[in-house]
Amino acid sequence: LISVGADPSYLRLKNQLIASTGLAFYADRDNELTELIGQRLSDLRLCDCSSYSQFLADSAGGAAEMDVLIARLTIGETSFFRDPEQFAAIRDIILPDIFERKQSSKQLRIWSAGCSTGAEPYSLAILMARELAERIAGWDIGIHATDLNRDFLARAAEGKFRAWTLRSAADEVKRECFSHEGHTWTIHPRYKQWISFRQMNLAAREFSNPLGEDARFDLILCRNVMIYFSPEINRRLIGQFHQSLEDYGWLVVGSSEHNPENYKNFSSVDASGARIYQKRPAKLAALEMATEPQVQPRPAPEPKPREKPRIEAPRERDRTDLEELRQLADRGDWQSASEYGQRLLAGDRLNPEIHFFLALVFENLGMVDEPERSLRQALYLDRNFALAHYHLGLALKRDGQMAGAARSFGNVLKVLNGIPDETAVMAGRGITAISLKELSKMHQEQSAGS
Ligand SMILES: C[S@@+](CC[C@H](N)C(=O)[O-])C[C@H]1O[C@@H](n2cnc3c(N)ncnc32)[C@H](O)[C@@H]1O
């Protein structure tokens, strides 16, 4: 191998590659990069980085060579229903909200940005076709899936997966949605009908909305992609996603990609362990700045009581106060939410819901003991508060207290035993008993197994 690291043009080539792919991840991975470039130089019989830069930029084969590099530089780790809490939030909060708001056009546009080999868009198609068949009847649905890596896209279009990619999919999903031979699982063609795959570079300076300049999406997923990019590119990208969304459209990012600064033009909503973002229209955001705190973002609608009765009727007197607290939290204004919540609590110490919301606020403020203390207080006041048991389980699991976590998830199952599946759980913003039970079972197994 040619010694690339010592080549005076290496640094320029490296910076060019990072700039054109967005993959700042390689800024401190010189070993991997120099090994790859060394191999390409010897395969192409080129003598140094500067002739390789020229080859990439000028020759007819430059674009194809760039694809070879991209195939080696991108990391396509993905799986069906990865981060199940996010899929529960999509099913229970995001899609019902969109169905509600777009009744008249019945048009649903989703963008899976950085879709890798397709597990993400196919999971969405499976979720809608299997679990929301009645709701989507008559709807015009498009799932636009894009990625930088053409090999991944070709594999996605083919729809063949190894068993490992299906490790989080339920057995009946595997049975009903795939055929398989040996270790290869092929998705049934009916789940391809809404999806189109297209190559697109999210780091390109000229951002192209895959639907066209003026079109807008209802939901954008860009999960586990921005971890590889620089903070500057991410800021720009999130701004571009905001522009590409309908007013009140939704953005779902990877579970480690929450930097509150980046999402200040969105309302953030916490649902079953997932944080999701809803676009605040630019006009409203500007108004808010001028008139805070009177103008509030429009929250996701609660499910209609006729469809999903609550376990416990809300105490009307507290409703507006709690809604106010919730909206402060949704805007990510955790400090004000904390102050407001504590004022509410001073006047109503025995209200379990205030303790519960405060716990979520404390958690977002990065406090260590307070969230658990508030959740225990909520549960002391109401043993049947399923979502408080659930969040206590999540907190204990995060702390590595697995036995306690498993007990808390078990308590959720006890409390919800016998409650009809479609019932909305208290303080859950439309989360149904069945989805909370499923999530709790999953966490209970994980906690008990470790
Ligand atoms: C770890 S995978 C995530 C796949 C999927 N979103 C998920 O969460 O399961 C990251 C994907 O981002 C893609 N990617 C990396 N840089 C990109 C860029 N500049 N533009 C578009 N996609 C990119 C990679 O090719 C890869 O498929």
Side-chain angles (χ1 to χ4, degrees):
L1 287 184
I2 300 159
S3 162
V4 173
D7 184 329
S9 306
Y10 164 67
L11 205 59
R12 197 156 54 93
L13 173 60
K14 169 180 161 177
N15 289 337
Q16 273 169 358
L17 291 180
I18 291 179
S20 57
T21 60
L23 297 170
F25 171 76
Y26 285 99
D28 55 4
R29 284 180 165 75
D30 289 312
N31 286 348
E32 288 164 57
L33 213 49
T34 52
E35 191 186 332
L36 170 60
I37 294 168
Q39 276 169 8
R40 295 312 298 152
L41 291 183
S42 87
D43 289 351
L44 297 165
R45 299 184 191 290
L46 292 171
C47 58
D48 58 15
C49 292
S50 130
S51 45
Y52 188 55
S53 287
Q54 253 169 32
F55 181 79
L56 281 170
D58 297 332
S59 91
E65 178 58 20
M66 194 62 205
D67 281 339
V68 173
L69 277 182
I70 286 170
R72 300 281 296 274
L73 291 171
T74 46
I75 294 161
E77 172 57 28
T78 190
S79 57
F80 278 81
F81 298 100
R82 178 182 196 175
D83 288 325
E85 289 90 348
Q86 295 188 340
F87 281 92
I90 290 171
R91 181 192 55 207
D92 297 334
I93 307 281
I94 295 180
L95 290 174
D97 168 58
I98 298 169
F99 293 149
E100 197 80 24
R101 278 186 296 106
K102 299 202 66 189
Q103 284 287 353
S104 52
S105 72
K106 291 200 168 11
Q107 197 181 57
L108 170 60
R109 292 287 175 264
I110 301 178
W111 179 9
S112 164
C115 64
S116 186
T117 49
E120 182 174 282
Y122 284 131
S123 297
L124 289 168
I126 290 174
L127 173 83
M128 288 193 282
R130 292 187 80 245
E131 300 191 44
L132 300 165
E134 276 178 28
R135 296 299 304 265
I136 58 171
W139 278 68
D140 167 16
I141 296 173
I143 303 177
H144 300 261
T146 64
D147 201 279
L148 180 63
N149 182 327
R150 291 182 202 275
D151 287 352
F152 289 165
L153 291 167
R155 280 158 58 189
E158 206 185 1
K160 289 187 186 304
F161 299 92
R162 278 171 307 171
W164 179 244
T165 313
L166 279 146
R167 62 192 179 277
S168 319
D171 284 344
E172 72 248 34
V173 167
K174 288 200 235 159
R175 248 193 336 266
E176 287 171 21
C177 311
F178 294 83
S179 57
H180 81 107
E181 258 183 53
H183 293 297
T184 305
W185 294 71
T186 306
I187 193 148
H188 195 285
R190 67 175 164 270
Y191 300 108
K192 290 183 170 176
Q193 57 175 331
W194 299 314
I195 307 178
S196 59
F197 292 103
R198 202 178 112 184
Q199 204 253 2
M200 188 184 147
N201 184 356
L202 292 170
R205 213 165 284 281
E206 280 305 305
F207 189 82
S208 63
N209 175 336
L211 276 184
E213 213 31 55
D214 299 324
R216 297 286 177 263
F217 288 94
D218 302 298
L219 164 62
I220 298 177
L221 287 94
C222 184
R223 305 185 313 148
N224 312 301
V225 179
M226 290 187 277
I227 33 172
Y228 301 104
F229 294 166
S230 67
E232 300 76 55
I233 292 208
N234 287 339
R235 264 196 299 279
R236 188 179 82 205
L237 198 53
I238 291 164
Q240 287 163 322
F241 287 147
H242 190 271
Q243 264 178 32
S244 307
L245 279 169
E246 292 270 13
D247 287 351
Y248 305 108
W250 294 87
L251 173 66
V252 178
V253 301
S255 50
S256 62
E257 296 165 328
H258 301 289
N259 171 358
E261 235 341 84
N262 285 347
Y263 303 97
K264 50 182 192 289
N265 293 327
F266 292 83
S267 311
S268 95
V269 175
D270 284 323
S272 289
R275 177 163 312 160
I276 50 184
Y277 297 97
Q278 187 174 33
K279 172 175 176 171
R280 275 209 306 279
K283 246 204 223 145
L284 185 55
L287 253 176
E288 269 176 9
M289 269 196 218
T291 59
E292 251 177 322
Q294 289 97 320
V295 180
Q296 306 288 353
R298 193 183 115 148
E302 292 280 341
K304 289 188 186 112
R306 187 174 49 78
E307 292 169 1
K308 294 179 179 176
R310 301 180 74 91
I311 288 176
E312 191 180 81
R315 283 164 288 210
E316 280 313 321
R317 191 172 50 83
D318 308 332
R319 265 306 110 200
T320 41
D321 289 345
L322 275 172
E323 189 52 34
E324 180 95 31
L325 174 56
R326 207 146 72 167
Q327 289 189 3
L328 283 170
D330 282 354
R331 290 196 308 197
D333 190 351
W334 304 112
Q335 200 53 50
S336 312
S338 163
E339 285 160 19
Y340 185 71
Q342 293 188 64
R343 271 211 312 279
L344 284 186
L345 200 59
D348 192 1
R349 292 231 154 257
L350 301 182
N351 185 328
E353 275 190 86
I354 301 179
H355 287 282
F356 171 75
F357 280 117
L358 263 177
L360 303 188
V361 171
F362 291 153
E363 201 174 289
N364 279 288
L365 282 170
M367 295 179 168
V368 183
D369 299 324
E370 284 80 353
E372 186 179 326
R373 202 175 304 136
S374 296
L375 287 169
R376 289 193 188 281
Q377 194 67 39
L379 287 166
Y380 173 75
L381 294 166
D382 181 355
R383 290 300 303 162
N384 292 327
F385 197 157
L387 207 57
H389 283 296
Y390 180 75
H391 276 270
L392 181 59
L394 290 179
L396 294 172
K397 192 173 168 213
R398 261 195 311 271
D399 270 7
Q401 300 183 48
M402 294 305 182
R407 255 196 316 278
S408 289
F409 294 121
N411 286 336
V412 180
L413 300 175
K414 267 189 226 153
V415 170
L416 294 181
N417 188 22
I419 302 283
D421 285 354
E422 289 307 304
T423 311
V425 300
M426 186 167 89
R429 313 203 114 185
I431 298 289
T432 56
I434 181 71
S435 41
L436 192 59
K437 275 201 259 188
E438 274 167 15
L439 288 167
S440 300
K441 268 186 222 152
M442 177 193 79
H443 284 295
Q444 191 188 34
E445 277 164 25
Q446 289 170 354
S447 315
S450 47

